[in-house]
Amino acid sequence: DLKKLTMPVLIYGGRYDRVAVPKMMVKYKAYCPQAKFVMFENSGHNPQVEEPSELFQLLRDFLKK
């Protein structure tokens, strides 16, 4: 049913996340191809701590749409 979503969808995660591992994030993108997908290359499970300026800018830009 994720393919049927009509609202904007954002999927993001950290390259070194050992909880929500990157290969699972890629699967979510396959299930929801209309989603915007962003991988934070210098983060684990907490991009809000590890790359806060990049994440918060992404969220601001996404929410403006």
Side-chain angles (χ1 to χ4, degrees):
D1 288 341
L2 291 173
K3 290 180 180 182
K4 298 176 186 175
L5 294 175
T6 59
M7 77 285 273
V9 177
L10 175 63
I11 301 169
Y12 71 86
R15 170 70 59 198
Y16 304 104
D17 193 333
R18 293 186 289 169
V19 177
V21 293
K23 74 177 185 177
M24 293 308 294
M25 289 179 251
V26 172
K27 279 193 176 198
Y28 278 116
K29 175 63 174 157
Y31 299 146
C32 192
Q34 72 278 27
K36 177 180 175 86
F37 177 76
V38 177
M39 181 71 69
F40 286 88
E41 296 295 336
N42 298 308
S43 291
H45 190 65
N46 297 299
Q48 73 277 9
V49 174
E50 298 159 314
E51 296 182 76
S53 60
E54 293 85 353
L55 173 61
F56 295 130
Q57 186 61 54
L58 171 69
L59 294 175
R60 280 191 293 274
D61 293 344
F62 182 78
L63 292 172
K64 284 180 184 176
K65 295 180 182 180

